[in-house]
């Protein structure tokens, strides 16, 4: 690293170096690029199957749509508010990430229901984890099922749905100033209306019920179908991501709705770890010289990569239109805070422009790169092309993530109840 000014150059994170070295191995550049391509494609092949279960009417189908980022009346959404009559689970692949499938399970709690039989009937082995939903206290059906899932060695999470309704109901007991109307109810309720106190009471109530049914260390997440950025939905997303094994985590993380800054940050971190691999692929077999630059790379791959970043961060015309509609805002208000190009604006010409901006810095970087990945030197052009594409991808990813945070801020600001 001698002669390199550390201030000018971002350090390559340790795990990226490892990933890059592993991809390169002792092979030559085309081989290394092929390996990197394989490693990246692995992520798309990983499947994740999420089971959503609970009693009939608890909000299962609505929650299935939630995870898939759909409104109930969108095309392909699970039908809600209908009575379930079959014992057949229904598969709903995520519309943008079809390797993630959410399964709408039949309602538990029918007279013939037996938790062990139920799991067998719905194909227990298929699922990575279970979401057990209830819109009231969890019943013995829910807890028996949880215990059976635990016995069979899988994870489950309790979701308490429709908390918006609870809050609304409680509110009727208070006057416009938020003061409790009836003294009679005062024993259990605070004098002053408090959303957080109501939510805590619901959570505590659920947890105590589960403990009484001998569920060990139960966790309950409060959600409302219409307010994913609020209550415990962001925390649920985080928990699920954290508790999945590494390769599944990657697949799941990409599919998450962008409802919190934490989720956005995690997505960004995750995507960052793949930038070196992507750069390597772009410098591989299909690389061609870019006129006017010393860069030799596969522009089509870069177009795809940037479009993927946009998709992951909701920076497409479609995603923004949906978000605007859901939040009752003009789309222009969301677009006003976006500084980088949307998916639809990503063309080969744009990539060349972006590469040109990164080329000067990258030349300095090539010496450093050659020190630890000598194989890159086997194709002289790659020593410059690799860092050029790396910086281009990295800058774009950083900008897209920052845009997504700003869009989220606009959406959250508009929610007066926040
Ligand atoms: N207010 C409110 N209603 C909900 C929520 N989740 C579901 N519902 C409604 O509850 C009813 C039953 O939901 P559904 O998803 O069909 O339940 P399932 O029978 O368990 O699949 C439907 O009318 C939903 O619109 C929520 O978070 N808040
Ligand atoms: Mg249903």
């Amino acid at each position: 690293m001698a002669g390199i000014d550390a201030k000018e150059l971002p350090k390559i994170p340790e795990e990226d170096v490892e990933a890059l070295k592993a991809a390169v191995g002792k092979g030559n550049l085309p081989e290394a690029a092929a390996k990197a391509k394989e490693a990246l494609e692995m992520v798309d092949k990983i499947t994740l199957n999420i089971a959503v279960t609970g009693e009939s009417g608890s909000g299962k189908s609505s929650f299935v749509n939630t995870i898939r980022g759909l409104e109930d009346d969108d095309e392909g959404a699970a039908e809600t508010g209908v009575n379930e009559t079959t014992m057949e689970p229904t598969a709903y692949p995520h519309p943008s990430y079809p390797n993630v499938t959410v399964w709408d399970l039949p309602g538990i709690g029918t007279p013939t229901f037996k938790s062990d039989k139920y799991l067998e009937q719905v194909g227990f082995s298929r699922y990575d984890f279970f979401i057990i939903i209830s819109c009231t206290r969890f019943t013995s059906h829910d807890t028996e099922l949880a215990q059976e899932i635990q016995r069979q060695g899988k994870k489950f999470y309790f979701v308490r749905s429709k908390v918006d309704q609870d809050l609304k109901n409680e509110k009727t007991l208070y006057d416009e100033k938020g003061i409790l109307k009836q003294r009679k109810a005062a024993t259990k309720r605070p004098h002053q209306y408090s959303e957080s106190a109501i939510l805590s009471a619901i959570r505590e109530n659920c947890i105590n019920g589960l403990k009484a049914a001998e569920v060990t260390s139960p966790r309950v997440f409060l959600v409302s179908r219409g307010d994913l950025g609020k209550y415990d939905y962001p925390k649920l997303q985080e928990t699920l991501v954290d508790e999945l094994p590494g390769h599944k985590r990657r697949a799941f993380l990409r599919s998450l709705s962008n409802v919190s800054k934490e989720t956005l940050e995690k997505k960004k971190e995750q995507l960052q770890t793949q930038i070196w691999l992507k750069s390597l692929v772009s410098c591989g077999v299909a690389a061609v010289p870019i006129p006017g630059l010393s860069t030799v790379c596969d522009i089509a791959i870069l177009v795809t990569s940037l479009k993927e970043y946009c998709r992951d961060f909701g920076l497409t015309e479609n995603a923004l239109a949906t978000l605007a509609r859901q939040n009752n805002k003009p789309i222009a208000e969301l677009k006003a805070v976006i500084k980088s190009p949307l998916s639809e604006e990503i063309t080969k010409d744009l990539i060349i422009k972006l590469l040109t901006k990164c080329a000067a810095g990258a030349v300095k970087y090539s010496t450093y790169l050659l020190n630890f990945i000598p194989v890159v030197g086997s194709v002289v052009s790659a020593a410059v092309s690799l860092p050029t594409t790396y910086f281009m991808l990295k800058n774009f990813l950083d900008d897209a993530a920052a845009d997504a945070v700003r869009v989220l801020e606009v959406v959250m600001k508009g929610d007066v109840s926040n």
Side-chain angles (χ1 to χ4, degrees):
M1 279 235 259
I4 300 283
D5 183 354
K7 269 195 202 124
E8 274 179 55
L9 305 168
K11 227 173 127 24
I12 306 178
E14 199 60 38
E15 62 266 30
D16 293 9
V17 175
E18 290 313 311
L20 197 54
K21 276 187 182 165
V24 173
K26 287 194 171 67
N28 54 27
L29 190 70
E31 261 175 45
K35 260 195 209 167
K37 189 158 179 271
E38 226 170 83
L40 287 170
E41 283 169 356
M42 274 282 288
V43 182
D44 296 321
K45 290 191 189 130
I46 289 162
T47 57
L48 186 75
N49 289 284
I50 304 168
V52 178
T53 183
E55 296 195 357
S56 194
S58 58
K60 291 185 299 298
S61 304
S62 307
F63 197 73
V64 165
N65 293 335
T66 298
I67 304 181
R68 297 164 70 224
L70 293 178
E71 298 277 285
D72 292 340
D73 52 6
D74 281 343
E75 207 185 308
E79 211 180 328
T80 58
V82 290
N83 271 337
E84 297 131 335
T85 47
T86 66
M87 278 304 286
E88 289 302 310
T90 313
Y92 291 99
H94 192 288
S96 311
Y97 307 88
N99 51 333
V100 173
T101 303
V102 194
W103 294 79
D104 197 351
L105 265 47
I108 51 174
T110 57
T112 51
F113 168 73
K114 287 268 190 315
S115 53
D116 50 344
K117 192 104 184 278
Y118 177 87
L119 286 178
E120 199 182 300
Q121 278 166 307
V122 299
F124 178 77
S125 61
R126 179 194 288 144
Y127 309 108
D128 290 287
F129 59 85
F130 290 77
I131 303 276
I132 305 175
I133 299 198
S134 174
C135 56
T136 55
R137 293 181 65 123
F138 290 92
T139 66
S140 59
H141 298 121
D142 299 318
T143 54
E144 278 168 26
L145 186 69
Q147 274 154 351
E148 192 55 38
I149 294 168
Q150 197 161 35
R151 250 194 300 281
Q152 300 196 34
K154 288 194 181 175
K155 288 200 166 146
F156 56 86
Y157 305 85
F158 289 107
V159 165
R160 168 61 163 77
S161 63
K162 310 188 193 178
V163 292
D164 55 310
Q165 259 174 19
D166 296 80
L167 291 169
K168 212 164 115 197
N169 293 345
E170 281 291 309
K171 198 135 205 178
T172 61
L173 303 174
Y174 291 80
D175 66 16
E176 319 81 74
K177 286 187 185 137
I179 306 296
L180 192 63
K181 285 192 237 169
Q182 291 178 357
R183 291 214 157 268
K184 215 168 60 183
T187 45
K188 272 171 66 192
R189 293 184 166 83
H191 181 64
Q192 177 78 42
Y193 178 84
S194 155
E195 184 176 294
S196 62
I198 297 164
L199 296 172
S200 298
I202 298 173
R203 201 177 288 116
E204 221 167 279
N205 193 8
C206 285
I207 288 177
N208 289 340
L210 291 169
K211 279 186 181 158
E214 291 173 1
V215 177
T216 37
S217 355
R219 285 172 300 177
V220 177
F221 298 89
L222 272 44
V223 307
S224 154
R225 175 72 179 94
D227 309 291
L228 297 186
K230 290 168 78 181
Y231 317 122
D232 296 337
Y233 191 72
K235 203 168 107 214
L236 174 64
Q237 280 190 334
E238 263 186 77
T239 307
L240 296 176
V241 167
D242 287 346
E243 296 190 2
L244 277 169
H247 57 300
K248 298 252 180 189
R249 180 182 308 146
R250 239 165 280 150
F252 184 53
L253 189 53
R254 279 196 320 182
S255 78
L256 294 184
S257 305
N258 298 316
V259 297
S260 74
K261 287 186 187 175
E262 288 75 17
T263 298
L264 290 171
E265 184 57 33
K266 279 201 164 139
K267 273 194 191 183
K268 181 175 130 176
E269 280 170 16
Q270 160 57 34
L271 291 166
Q272 250 163 2
T273 65
Q274 298 173 351
I275 297 182
W276 278 114
L277 293 179
K278 280 184 189 284
S279 312
L280 196 52
V281 176
S282 90
C283 297
V285 263
V288 293
I290 312 297
L293 277 176
S294 45
T295 307
V296 180
C297 67
D298 178 352
I299 296 218
I301 285 180
L302 298 175
V303 169
T304 308
S305 292
L306 296 202
K307 279 182 180 285
E308 276 172 9
Y309 290 159
C310 286
R311 183 192 56 180
D312 292 349
F313 286 109
L315 301 173
T316 69
E317 289 286 351
N318 240 337
L320 288 170
T322 306
L323 195 64
R325 182 166 41 80
Q326 286 170 355
N327 291 281
N328 236 344
K329 281 186 177 297
I331 190 167
E333 206 174 311
L334 303 181
K335 283 188 174 175
V337 297
I338 297 174
K339 294 180 182 167
S340 54
L342 296 182
S343 177
E344 288 77 4
E345 298 161 48
I346 293 165
T347 58
K348 290 190 173 191
D349 286 346
L350 176 80
I351 302 280
I352 293 172
K353 243 195 246 164
L354 296 176
L355 285 171
T356 311
K357 276 212 294 204
C358 299
V363 171
K364 291 189 216 157
Y365 210 61
S366 62
T367 327
Y368 163 48
L369 200 63
L370 284 168
N371 275 341
F372 74 96
I373 330 175
V375 69
V376 169
S378 66
V379 178
V380 174
S381 60
V384 177
S385 307
L386 198 57
T388 306
T389 35
Y390 174 85
F391 287 126
M392 195 278 287
L393 289 167
K394 186 179 181 306
N395 290 345
F396 192 90
L397 174 60
D398 288 349
D399 292 348
D403 281 339
V405 169
R406 279 192 297 270
V407 169
L408 182 66
E409 277 167 353
V410 171
V411 169
M412 292 198 302
K413 202 165 56 194
D415 189 346
V416 283
S417 56
N418 247 322

